[in-house]
Amino acid sequence: MKTSDNLVIIPARKNSQRIKDKNLLKLGKKSLVEITVDFALKISDKNSIYLSTDSKKIRKIGEKYGIFCPSLRPSSLSKSNSKSVDVCLHALKTFESIKNCKVKNIILLQPSS
């Protein structure tokens, strides 16, 4: 089994309690998700970036950039009370299983912060 030094996880769910499609809001010409993906690509290889989302629109953005988003996030991890740590553990387990590797470090990039 190979080792991957870093896994960048971008958690971007579609619904927010206060702002609909918050992660798709644009700052200038790019959405918050696109800005976050651009930054992730500056610090990591696209093969080590995992976009965790329950949104088909956000997943298409990930596909456009060629980053890893194998499936939509389960609804149990897409609620307003879902914890980031649980989302990260799900992404880590999925990434390691599909890529057949072991990750040393996780870098969490949240589009809205």
Side-chain angles (χ1 to χ4, degrees):
M1 181 179 285
K2 61 186 176 183
T3 303
S4 178
D5 285 340
N6 298 315
L7 173 60
V8 177
I9 299 175
I10 303 171
R13 67 185 182 98
K14 64 181 168 187
N15 291 322
S16 168
Q17 285 185 320
R18 291 173 279 164
I19 303 171
K20 182 175 171 45
D21 291 328
K22 174 174 61 178
N23 290 310
L24 293 171
L25 290 177
K26 296 202 179 228
L27 272 176
K29 295 184 179 185
K30 293 189 175 188
S31 69
L32 295 177
V33 170
E34 290 172 301
I35 293 167
T36 306
V37 170
D38 280 342
F39 181 77
L41 289 167
K42 289 179 183 175
I43 64 169
S44 184
D45 178 78
K46 70 179 179 180
N47 295 317
S48 296
I49 301 171
Y50 188 109
L51 179 61
S52 176
T53 187
D54 61 333
S55 165
K56 291 178 182 177
K57 288 180 185 178
I58 294 173
R59 186 172 185 211
K60 281 189 179 196
I61 291 169
E63 290 172 352
K64 178 178 96 173
Y65 282 87
I67 62 173
F68 192 67
C69 187
S71 61
L72 294 179
R73 186 191 313 169
S75 60
S76 62
L77 294 174
S78 300
K79 299 178 185 324
S80 61
N81 63 348
S82 297
K83 295 181 174 129
S84 294
V85 67
D86 294 329
V87 172
C88 287
L89 289 172
H90 174 265
L92 175 66
K93 181 180 176 183
T94 303
F95 184 84
E96 287 182 335
S97 174
I98 292 173
K99 299 280 188 167
N100 193 31
C101 70
K102 196 75 176 153
V103 172
K104 289 183 183 179
N105 306 299
I106 292 175
I107 300 167
L108 178 64
L109 297 179
Q110 297 175 294
S112 60
S113 59

